[in-house]
Amino acid sequence: MIRKEIFLTPSTLKECRRIVFDSEIMKEDDNNWSEPDRVGRQELEIVMGNEHISFTTSKIGTLMDVQTSKDPEGLRIFYYLVQDLKCFVFSLISLHFKIKPI
């Protein structure tokens, strides 16, 4: 595992909090989501203020996996939030570690 340490401005952290807050993921429950299996697992842990929540589900390959679950609405929120956060983080990384062409 490769680990990097970064420092973010308050406005960047505020945007990350806004993404999580607007998703309303804190209202969801992962009890009806599929259990992790041999294919893999996805985990998300969020601490916002006094609230601390942790989600775990099996690897989500496509939206069809989401639609066929016992809780499609909750899992859809999780799926899109993870996609948004990945996009946000990868954008920050590419901005910071931009390699200039010769």
Side-chain angles (χ1 to χ4, degrees):
M1 181 181 290
I2 299 172
R3 293 179 185 234
K4 296 281 185 187
E5 185 174 313
I6 62 169
F7 296 93
L8 301 174
T9 64
S11 60
T12 307
L13 288 173
K14 184 178 178 183
E15 179 62 16
C16 186
R17 282 189 199 101
R18 186 197 64 77
I19 291 170
V20 173
F21 182 78
D22 287 352
S23 74
E24 298 183 344
I25 192 72
M26 301 301 273
K27 298 176 183 176
E28 297 302 323
D29 187 6
D30 65 352
N31 286 335
N32 291 326
W33 300 357
S34 57
E35 292 293 322
D37 54 14
R38 60 180 168 74
V39 174
R41 68 188 297 132
Q42 285 185 253
E43 296 180 48
L44 179 66
E45 186 173 1
I46 301 170
V47 178
M48 285 185 67
N50 293 332
E51 291 185 82
H52 180 214
I53 195 162
S54 181
F55 296 102
T56 304
T57 187
S58 64
K59 203 92 159 165
I60 301 172
T62 64
L63 275 176
M64 184 58 96
D65 298 338
V66 172
Q67 293 169 347
T68 58
S69 72
K70 294 178 184 173
D71 180 18
E73 186 57 35
L75 200 54
R76 186 176 298 114
I77 291 170
F78 174 80
Y79 177 80
Y80 283 123
L81 174 62
V82 168
Q83 295 299 318
D84 289 346
L85 291 175
K86 281 176 25 179
C87 184
F88 183 70
V89 169
F90 288 142
S91 294
L92 290 172
I93 290 170
S94 68
L95 285 169
H96 185 71
F97 297 107
K98 189 96 175 161
I99 298 173
K100 296 181 182 178
I102 298 174

